[in-house]
Amino acid sequence: MNKKYRKTVIAGNWKMNKTPSETKEFMNQLKAILPKGRWCDVALCVPAVCIPAAVRAMRETRVGIGAENCNANASGAYTGEIATNMLTDAGCKYVIIGHSERRAMGETDADVNAKVLAALEAGLVPIMCCGESLEQREADITEEWISMQIKLGLAGVPEDKVRKVVIAYEPIWAIGTGRTATPEQAEEVCNSIRAVVRKLYSSKNARAISILYGGSMNEKNAFELLAQPDIDGGLIGGASLVPEKFVQIIEAANQPTV
Ligand code: PEP
């Protein structure tokens, strides 16, 4: 992390876990043990039906609530979909876009790009995910692949808005597998993502954009991962479902940096 130039963000991704009642219970437990004083930005991205309960419970806190997906269209005949203005109206601050589990359901880079643009337009913070498969890593094309995902995902994002995007590097082979990238592996890719942003935009924007690591981050490995200079936080699945574990990760993000 480098707190001097950019925000540290610890974001939870609940995926398809917890009901609205369980959300209320979780948020009350979390509120009771949240660290006091100044700390990093904290987001919890929850299933759509849990958003109202989460927003209500965390109203007086600095925890921002987010969605796990959105539709890029403003309104219309898209049964089952949720537009970005519905999310902001419901109290969301963040939205995860392009998670590998959604890409596996058919979401393309063009879809990701349209959603990023729609989220920015609505005033949401898009948490744009990228990541390589194990086959791609073994074929030594990780950097190339990620660079392409970043370029396509950010297409058309103007210079003055790019730093509002949070990028999450999530190697697919590390998500939900218990197999974490080593701090060096994660740093190498996050550093290369920053270089892509530098090339596409400017050194100033590259220095200001927050890049998270995700993939089996937990209360045990968070400190070491977050100590890397280009890892500005985490996108956390499993460990964000347990208040004590999530708080320990927030505490790891409070470590002093350069
Ligand atoms: C995720 O869902 O984005 C994720 C990183 O999951 P986990 O932490 O469980 O690997």
Side-chain angles (χ1 to χ4, degrees), residues 92-108:
C92 282
K93 194 172 162 207
Y94 299 87
V95 59
I96 298 174
I97 295 173
H99 192 280
S100 60
E101 287 157 15
R102 295 212 60 87
R103 290 180 188 258
M105 293 177 215
E107 194 162 294
T108 65

Side-chain angles (χ1 to χ4, degrees), residues 149-216:
Q149 286 186 319
I150 299 297
K151 280 181 196 156
L152 296 175
L154 293 179
V157 174
E159 175 94 39
D160 63 334
K161 284 217 174 135
V162 70
R163 64 179 66 185
K164 298 201 171 117
V165 178
V166 170
I167 296 175
Y169 166 56
E170 299 209 303
I172 298 168
W173 47 271
I175 299 177
T177 58
R179 189 177 159 185
T180 322
T182 63
E184 294 72 26
Q185 282 173 325
E187 167 61 20
E188 191 181 15
V189 180
C190 290
N191 178 276
S192 79
I193 292 172
R194 205 174 299 288
V196 174
V197 175
R198 190 174 302 120
K199 228 174 176 174
L200 290 174
Y201 293 91
S202 63
S203 299
K204 217 169 158 184
N205 278 311
R207 206 167 55 185
I209 200 164
S210 297
I211 303 174
L212 319 184
Y213 167 78
S216 299

Side-chain angles (χ1 to χ4, degrees), residues 1 24 34 55 61 76 92 96 125 128 144 147 156 161-162 177-178 183 185 210-211 217 229-230 237 240 251 255:
M1 296 176 291
K24 187 176 170 194
L34 271 176
V55 168
T61 74
C92 282
I96 298 174
V125 175
M128 185 181 88
E144 217 176 306
S147 159
K161 284 217 174 135
V162 70
T177 58
Q185 282 173 325
S210 297
I211 303 174
M217 187 186 268
D230 288 293
S240 73
E251 278 162 352
Q255 62 185 287

Side-chain angles (χ1 to χ4, degrees), residues 2-258:
N2 188 325
K3 294 179 185 167
K4 190 167 155 203
Y5 294 118
R6 44 194 178 257
K7 281 184 177 170
T8 302
V9 183
I10 296 297
N13 171 21
W14 277 7
K15 313 192 189 203
M16 199 171 73
N17 291 295
K18 297 197 189 289
T19 62
S21 321
E22 288 165 349
T23 300
K24 187 176 170 194
E25 196 183 327
F26 174 99
M27 296 297 170
N28 287 335
Q29 286 170 8
L30 181 67
K31 262 198 295 199
I33 56 170
L34 271 176
K36 303 270 181 286
R38 276 196 70 77
W39 34 277
C40 59
D41 287 8
V42 178
L44 273 166
C45 300
V46 303
V49 292
C50 300
I51 290 170
V55 168
R56 217 174 300 124
M58 300 318 264
R59 196 164 280 146
E60 305 298 318
T61 74
R62 293 177 50 191
V63 176
I65 301 303
E68 300 175 9
N69 183 33
C70 64
N71 189 287
N73 295 288
S75 62
Y78 304 99
T79 303
E81 292 291 288
I82 300 177
T84 51
N85 70 334
M86 297 175 186
L87 296 177
T88 47
D89 194 65
C92 282
K93 194 172 162 207
Y94 299 87
V95 59
I96 298 174
I97 295 173
H99 192 280
S100 60
E101 287 157 15
R102 295 212 60 87
R103 290 180 188 258
M105 293 177 215
E107 194 162 294
T108 65
D109 286 307
D111 296 328
V112 171
N113 178 237
K115 291 179 185 195
V116 167
L117 294 172
L120 287 171
E121 188 62 35
L124 289 163
V125 175
I127 303 178
M128 185 181 88
C129 303
C130 60
E132 83 287 4
S133 65
L134 191 56
E135 293 71 33
Q136 288 166 330
R137 174 158 283 269
E138 284 170 354
D140 209 14
I141 56 164
T142 298
E143 239 180 86
E144 217 176 306
W145 178 257
I146 304 283
S147 159
M148 183 203 67
Q149 286 186 319
I150 299 297
K151 280 181 196 156
L152 296 175
L154 293 179
V157 174
E159 175 94 39
D160 63 334
K161 284 217 174 135
V162 70
R163 64 179 66 185
K164 298 201 171 117
V165 178
V166 170
I167 296 175
Y169 166 56
E170 299 209 303
I172 298 168
W173 47 271
I175 299 177
T177 58
R179 189 177 159 185
T180 322
T182 63
E184 294 72 26
Q185 282 173 325
E187 167 61 20
E188 191 181 15
V189 180
C190 290
N191 178 276
S192 79
I193 292 172
R194 205 174 299 288
V196 174
V197 175
R198 190 174 302 120
K199 228 174 176 174
L200 290 174
Y201 293 91
S202 63
S203 299
K204 217 169 158 184
N205 278 311
R207 206 167 55 185
I209 200 164
S210 297
I211 303 174
L212 319 184
Y213 167 78
S216 299
M217 187 186 268
N218 58 39
E219 70 288 2
K220 296 192 183 82
N221 58 29
F223 190 89
E224 224 189 324
L225 285 160
L226 295 170
Q228 302 302 310
D230 288 293
I231 301 179
D232 306 310
L235 181 55
I236 300 123
S240 73
L241 294 165
V242 182
E244 291 76 13
K245 291 186 181 180
F246 194 55
V247 161
Q248 282 181 55
I249 298 174
I250 296 170
E251 278 162 352
N254 280 337
Q255 62 185 287
T257 60
V258 282

